[in-house]
């Protein structure tokens, strides 16, 4: 009787191990997807020693499915590109008074944020997705 119980336990253990390995293999085979970031955002760029500058940011996909940005502000910042990887790292690219820049950061839910240090300008940035009722 005891031998049957041991065989039964070993079989259960082996089956559980195989099921676990199959589940792990399936998870590893599934490609990771970058977080969805399309939408309209209220963005604030805080430049150390100069203040906070509001920017309206819109992230969409073009006809080829590539992410693109449009921005509106009152200081001349033009954000035109965005890249997001599967780990949630984000890079915004653009131009300010003829100077190209990159804002690197992370996506956390409905917020993108990071720090920057570009040609003597340093600070932080945060972009919060507008709620559907706020979008126009």
């Amino acid at each position: 009787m005891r031998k049957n119980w041991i065989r039964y336990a070993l079989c259960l253990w082996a089956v559980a191990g195989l099921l676990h390995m199959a589940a792990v293999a399936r998870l590893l085979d599934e490609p990771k997807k970058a977080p969805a970031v399309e939408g309209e955002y209220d963005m604030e760029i805080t430049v150390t020693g100069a203040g906070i500058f509001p920017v309206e940011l819109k992230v969409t996909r073009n006809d080829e499915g590539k992410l693109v940005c449009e921005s509106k502000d009152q200081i001349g910042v033009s954000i035109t590109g965005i890249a997001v990887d599967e780990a949630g790292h984000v890079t915004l690219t653009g131009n300010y008074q003829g100077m190209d820049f990159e804002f690197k950061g992370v996506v956390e839910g409905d917020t993108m944020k990071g720090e920057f240090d570009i040609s003597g300008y340093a600070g932080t940035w945060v972009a919060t997705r507008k709620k559907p009722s706020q979008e126009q």
Side-chain angles (χ1 to χ4, degrees):
M1 179 89 162
R2 185 173 172 96
K3 286 183 183 181
N4 287 338
W5 183 83
I6 292 173
R7 283 187 200 148
Y8 179 72
L10 287 173
C11 285
L12 281 177
W13 182 78
V15 169
L18 290 172
L19 289 173
H20 175 73
M21 289 183 351
V24 168
R26 191 181 82 221
L27 286 175
L28 292 175
D29 286 344
E30 291 180 11
K32 293 183 180 179
K33 293 182 180 179
V37 293
E38 295 92 331
E40 295 185 17
Y41 291 80
D42 286 323
M43 182 174 182
E44 289 185 343
I45 300 171
T46 303
V47 180
T48 304
I52 299 172
F53 302 95
V55 177
E56 292 179 32
L57 182 67
K58 184 176 182 180
V59 180
T60 58
R61 289 195 182 269
N62 64 15
D63 293 339
E64 298 166 359
K66 183 179 176 183
L67 288 172
V68 293
C69 291
E70 298 175 38
S71 64
K72 296 179 191 173
D73 69 281
Q74 299 195 358
I75 59 170
V77 170
S78 177
I79 300 171
T80 55
I82 182 170
V84 183
D85 69 14
E86 64 276 350
H89 297 105
V90 62
T91 302
L92 300 176
T93 54
N95 185 286
Y96 176 69
Q97 296 181 349
M99 178 178 56
D100 293 333
F101 66 81
E102 286 187 345
F103 286 164
K104 293 185 180 272
V106 296
V107 177
E108 295 176 352
D110 284 341
T111 302
M112 298 183 281
K113 62 183 178 180
E115 297 179 357
F116 63 91
D117 188 354
I118 305 163
S119 297
Y121 296 100
T124 60
W125 64 275
V126 62
T128 304
R129 189 187 321 255
K130 293 181 181 181
K131 302 291 183 215
S133 62
Q134 290 179 302
E135 292 182 9
Q136 298 176 6

